Amino acid sequence: MVPLMPPCLGTRKAVPVAACIALVLLSMGLPAMADIQDDCRATCVPICNGLATDVCNAVTDIAPILNSLDFFFTTCKVRVSAICIPVCINVCSLNTLTPGAPTMAPAGAAPPPCKP
């Protein structure tokens, strides 16, 4: 039978250490994520509301008959915003693990030189 841990690390020491690390990580994650999502929501809601207005205006320009329906414009704005806001918040909050991480090089940038 192969031991799961090296003999120098006893399970009596590893379990409490792992539990403490897990508790620290769990206690730190949620408030930071809540702040990020709140910031993203504050950014995304106005953007998506503007997009929804533009989309619904374009639809009523294409099909003016829809202007005769009293509920159409409001319903259209709600439906477009309901699709836009979650997508925007997801994209906005993608980089939550490495704040300040370097961004990718532009598509036209030359690759770094090879080391011999």
Side-chain angles (χ1 to χ4, degrees):
M1 179 178 198
V2 176
L4 296 177
M5 297 183 66
C8 60
L9 294 176
T11 56
R12 286 185 279 166
K13 291 179 184 177
V15 172
V17 170
C20 288
I21 291 171
L23 287 174
V24 168
L25 291 176
L26 288 173
S27 68
M28 292 172 53
L30 295 177
M33 182 56 83
D35 290 345
I36 291 168
Q37 288 190 342
D38 289 344
D39 292 344
C40 289
R41 189 172 287 108
T43 301
C44 290
V45 168
I47 291 171
C48 288
N49 285 342
L51 174 71
T53 300
D54 293 345
V55 166
C56 296
N57 281 331
V59 169
T60 56
D61 287 347
I62 293 169
I65 190 78
L66 295 173
N67 286 325
S68 63
L69 302 172
D70 294 337
F71 61 88
F72 178 77
F73 193 78
T74 303
T75 303
C76 178
K77 280 180 58 175
V78 168
R79 301 293 185 197
V80 173
S81 290
I83 295 168
C84 177
I85 291 172
V87 172
C88 180
I89 290 173
N90 284 339
V91 170
C92 174
S93 63
L94 280 177
N95 189 11
T96 58
L97 297 177
T98 54
T103 57
M104 294 184 61
C114 297
K115 294 181 180 180

